[in-house]
Amino acid sequence: MSVAGLVLAAGGGRRYGMPKALVEYGGSLLVERAVRTARAVCDPVLVVLGARAVDVWRTADLDGATVLANRDWESGMASSLRTGLDGLRGWPGRVDVALVSLVDMPGMTPAALERMAAHAAPDALAVATYDGVRGHPVLLGRDHWAGVAETATGDEGARRYLAAHAVTEVDCTGLADPTDLDVPPSGVPSAP
């Protein structure tokens, strides 16, 4: 079963003060961490860039990931999700599943992605949970891509689609830290 990693990294980071893809955290850029984590489990890995995309592309070591540009990134995460799913539909060779992760979750681990990937199937819909709370990554089987793309709006991404369909909740408690970086933590340097 072919599981593609889809890293959403296009946002401008309004609350953060800069695009999170360019934020340095623990010795590397957030986008580099997200791509490395996805590459440990998924093949191919696509990363969707938007805000300051050229700067990210020039600065970051994207370790063999395919870069997709979301020209409509300012409209929200939904446009990045659609961009990524469109890229997977046109991928040479068949991809059956997209494992979607976000750039601003530096505590994501290959172990959490592996647990999610174990549920891979063309008709699969699965979401990671942490202490019973839904989070990321989200696993989207190919059968659902068109519906997800059609219902995704603004910053909601797949939320509306997932709420209307049967979803497997996969307990990833203890495998990853689901915290996202919405504002700069004290003491963490960021890129200029």
Side-chain angles (χ1 to χ4, degrees), residues 68-94:
L68 302 175
N70 175 10
R71 298 186 195 288
D72 195 27
W73 64 268
E74 290 180 274
S75 69
M77 185 192 325
S79 63
S80 292
L81 183 56
R82 280 192 297 275
T83 298
L85 292 175
D86 286 346
L88 289 175
R89 276 190 207 96
W91 193 257
R94 184 166 173 88

Side-chain angles (χ1 to χ4, degrees), residues 49-67:
L49 301 179
R52 293 182 55 190
V54 172
D55 292 338
V56 176
W57 180 73
R58 286 182 178 158
T59 305
D61 176 3
L62 298 178
D63 190 28
T66 297
V67 174

Side-chain angles (χ1 to χ4, degrees), residues 8 22 29 40 55 63 73 105 107 113 119 132 136 142 181:
L8 304 183
L22 288 169
L29 298 180
D55 292 338
D63 190 28
W73 64 268
M105 295 179 67
L113 295 182
H119 296 271
H136 283 85
R142 175 181 274 279
L181 299 180

